[in-house]
Amino acid sequence: MSETKKTNIILFSGDYDKAMAAYIIANGAAAYDHEVTIFHTFWGLNALRKDGKVEAQKGFLEKMFGKMMPRGADKMGLSKMNMAGMGPKMIKKVMKKHNTSSVPDLIEMAQMQGINLVACQMTMDLLGFQRAELLDDITYAGVAAYLADAENGNVNLFI
Amino acid sequence: MSETKKTNIILFSGDYDKAMAAYIIANGAAAYDHEVTIFHTFWGLNALRKDGKVEAQKGFLEKMFGKMMPRGADKMGLSKMNMAGMGPKMIKKVMKKHNTSSVPDLIEMAQMQGINLVACQMTMDLLGFQRAELLDDITYAGVAAYLADAENGNVNLFI
Amino acid sequence: MSETKKTNIILFSGDYDKAMAAYIIANGAAAYDHEVTIFHTFWGLNALRKDGKVEAQKGFLEKMFGKMMPRGADKMGLSKMNMAGMGPKMIKKVMKKHNTSSVPDLIEMAQMQGINLVACQMTMDLLGFQRAELLDDITYAGVAAYLADAENGNVNLFI
């Protein structure tokens, strides 16, 4: 009769600290045998971007969005005390001191734990992201798939 | 024995992109036969404001709040890359290109689908909003009504 | 057979208005006999800081974080319209006019109602907070404790 618990997180935010919170909760839940999904939408998609530049044919606006947004979690700013990029450096320094995993490490851990990383196809189109720009082993889906997961979820969060 | 699923969203944020996310999830949930409520509080109330100026007798602070806050979803900014209003223009341009519904359209769709749009009376009073300033067919309620909905909810989100 | 309902709020944000929303929902839920936990992490920890300076031995970065972050809820800014601190003053003025409880009052009320106020030990270490700097009667825990509460929660929110 033991039922698998489900955790479904929408990662909407493009902030380093919020992505960190999302992935710490997700990895924790997976460690406690939850079935875990992180649905990345809007600025949250940036966490899944590959590090370097990826060749892609894009329109003008899509190119601008692509340029202005951070390529990957490691380049994201903080939601508070960003201080023109000094905040993230300080945070990363204390994280290193305390042996806390970085967000890219947390994402890798999530993939190793079998957490389902979903990219919202609608906002991919909107912001002009192409699949080649994102990490491998990502699922592409929309609000219907999110709701199918979340309506049976135990822990649903919007971050 | 099939039970109606419930989605309850608190829209606290006054950002265009977050309102868009809230209304896309809400409309999706309604399409999947969920009973859906969006509880607008604090800056989220701005999404429900009528477009033009509404005559209302107000104190000085309330007048100032009213003037400084956007009148309706169409005038809200972005949570990221707002760039003094250029961000929302860019987003709306790509939205048009991709035939994505605008937030005012999504709100209209929500009302047509019978989604319960609630305005938080306490923050109405706090920010000095009067009912005549908001769209028609809004419910006015407080935290007790929210909790009565949410404690039986399947998908509860704070946006 | 009546089962106690559970409300679990993660307070991640360090904004006055978001802390206010979190504590209003929490106090409301406690009044309706929910078992309520607020898990303070990242900037949300600032809400629990004591008002004055507390002597503590810290490294350089931890000292800087400590200095730059607000000491207690009363000194936090707004998520919107902060306007270099003018926004919080305006909000507090209208709150007084409408006899709305301040956030420090709401926190006191929460403690009197037996709401479980938790501080995230991991972010305490990260930001260099020491227990002497926070209010009394706080529980210290991590993501495992949060998940144990939330997986049986009725209302789970990330604020």
Side-chain angles (χ1 to χ4, degrees):
Chain A
M1 284 286 294
S2 89
E3 213 187 310
T4 306
K5 302 277 185 179
K6 287 183 183 184
T7 292
N8 299 288
I9 296 172
I10 296 180
L11 182 57
F12 172 96
S13 163
D15 300 316
Y16 190 86
D17 44 348
K18 290 201 173 171
M20 193 174 156
Y23 273 91
I24 287 174
I25 296 167
N27 277 307
Y32 285 94
D33 295 321
H34 284 214
E35 210 177 293
V36 185
T37 299
I38 308 181
F39 186 87
H40 300 73
T41 188
F42 282 86
W43 324 106
L45 287 169
N46 289 320
L48 299 180
R49 284 180 91 187
K50 280 180 193 149
D51 208 297
K53 200 177 178 313
V54 175
E55 272 320 313
Q57 287 223 324
K58 296 192 183 190
F60 176 71
L61 278 172
E62 287 81 358
K63 246 184 214 155
M64 274 192 72
F65 271 123
K67 261 194 192 155
M68 290 181 306
M69 289 188 297
R71 294 192 206 277
D74 196 46
K75 296 193 184 70
M76 303 194 299
L78 293 181
S79 67
K80 280 266 152 197
M81 304 213 308
N82 194 50
M83 301 177 294
M86 208 179 97
K89 280 197 191 113
M90 281 174 65
I91 282 279
K92 285 174 197 167
K93 214 164 171 179
V94 288
M95 281 170 67
K96 215 165 189 174
K97 193 172 142 189
H98 290 285
N99 288 315
T100 312
S101 305
S102 69
V103 177
D105 287 351
L106 288 167
I107 294 176
E108 209 185 309
M109 198 186 302
Q111 290 198 305
M112 285 185 345
Q113 289 206 86
I115 292 176
N116 187 18
L117 302 185
V118 184
C120 171
Q121 186 61 57
M122 190 209 81
T123 39
M124 294 271 298
D125 296 343
L126 207 59
L127 300 175
F129 283 147
Q130 295 178 7
R131 295 189 182 188
E133 296 178 75
L134 299 201
L135 301 178
D136 298 331
D137 300 317
I138 303 297
T139 308
Y140 294 88
V143 69
Y146 167 71
L147 285 164
D149 283 335
E151 70 177 22
N152 299 309
N154 299 83
V155 183
N156 291 325
L157 301 171
F158 183 98
I159 297 185
Chain B
M1 284 288 295
S2 89
E3 213 186 311
T4 306
K5 300 276 186 180
K6 287 183 184 186
T7 292
N8 299 289
I9 296 172
I10 296 180
L11 182 57
F12 173 95
S13 162
D15 300 317
Y16 190 86
D17 44 348
K18 290 200 172 171
M20 194 174 156
Y23 273 91
I24 288 174
I25 297 167
N27 278 307
Y32 286 93
D33 295 322
H34 284 214
E35 209 177 294
V36 185
T37 299
I38 308 180
F39 186 86
H40 300 73
T41 187
F42 283 86
W43 324 105
L45 287 169
N46 289 320
L48 299 180
R49 284 181 91 186
K50 279 180 194 150
D51 208 302
K53 200 178 177 313
V54 175
E55 271 321 312
Q57 286 224 324
K58 295 192 183 190
F60 176 70
L61 279 171
E62 286 82 357
K63 245 184 214 156
M64 274 193 72
F65 271 122
K67 261 195 191 155
M68 290 181 306
M69 289 187 296
R71 293 190 204 279
D74 197 47
K75 296 193 185 71
M76 302 194 301
L78 292 183
S79 67
K80 280 265 154 202
M81 305 214 308
N82 194 50
M83 302 177 294
M86 209 179 97
K89 280 198 190 112
M90 282 174 64
I91 283 278
K92 284 175 197 167
K93 214 164 172 178
V94 288
M95 281 170 66
K96 214 166 190 172
K97 192 174 143 188
H98 290 285
N99 287 317
T100 312
S101 306
S102 69
V103 177
D105 287 352
L106 288 167
I107 295 176
E108 208 185 311
M109 198 187 303
Q111 290 197 307
M112 285 185 345
Q113 288 207 85
I115 290 175
N116 187 18
L117 302 185
V118 184
C120 171
Q121 186 62 56
M122 191 211 79
T123 40
M124 294 271 298
D125 295 342
L126 207 58
L127 300 174
F129 283 147
Q130 296 178 7
R131 296 188 181 188
E133 295 178 75
L134 299 201
L135 301 178
D136 298 331
D137 300 317
I138 303 297
T139 309
Y140 294 88
V143 69
Y146 166 72
L147 285 164
D149 283 335
E151 70 176 22
N152 300 310
N154 298 83
V155 184
N156 291 325
L157 301 171
F158 183 98
I159 297 185
Chain C
M1 284 289 294
S2 89
E3 213 187 311
T4 307
K5 302 276 186 180
K6 286 182 185 186
T7 292
N8 298 289
I9 296 172
I10 296 180
L11 182 57
F12 173 96
S13 162
D15 301 316
Y16 191 86
D17 43 348
K18 290 200 173 170
M20 193 174 156
Y23 273 90
I24 288 173
I25 296 166
N27 278 307
Y32 285 94
D33 294 322
H34 284 215
E35 209 177 293
V36 185
T37 299
I38 308 181
F39 187 87
H40 300 73
T41 188
F42 283 85
W43 324 107
L45 286 170
N46 290 319
L48 299 180
R49 284 180 93 187
K50 281 179 194 151
D51 208 297
K53 201 174 177 313
V54 175
E55 271 321 312
Q57 286 223 325
K58 296 194 183 188
F60 176 70
L61 280 171
E62 287 80 358
K63 245 184 215 156
M64 274 193 71
F65 271 122
K67 261 195 193 156
M68 289 181 306
M69 289 188 296
R71 292 191 205 278
D74 197 46
K75 296 194 185 68
M76 302 194 302
L78 292 182
S79 67
K80 281 263 152 201
M81 304 213 308
N82 194 50
M83 302 177 294
M86 208 179 99
K89 280 198 191 112
M90 280 174 65
I91 283 279
K92 285 175 197 167
K93 214 164 171 180
V94 287
M95 281 170 67
K96 214 167 189 173
K97 193 174 144 189
H98 290 284
N99 287 316
T100 312
S101 306
S102 70
V103 177
D105 287 352
L106 289 167
I107 294 176
E108 209 185 310
M109 197 186 302
Q111 292 198 305
M112 286 185 345
Q113 288 207 85
I115 292 176
N116 186 18
L117 302 185
V118 184
C120 172
Q121 186 63 56
M122 191 209 81
T123 40
M124 294 271 299
D125 295 343
L126 208 57
L127 300 175
F129 282 147
Q130 295 178 8
R131 296 189 180 187
E133 296 178 73
L134 300 200
L135 301 178
D136 297 330
D137 301 317
I138 303 297
T139 308
Y140 295 87
V143 70
Y146 166 71
L147 285 164
D149 283 336
E151 71 177 22
N152 299 309
N154 298 83
V155 183
N156 291 326
L157 302 171
F158 183 98
I159 297 185

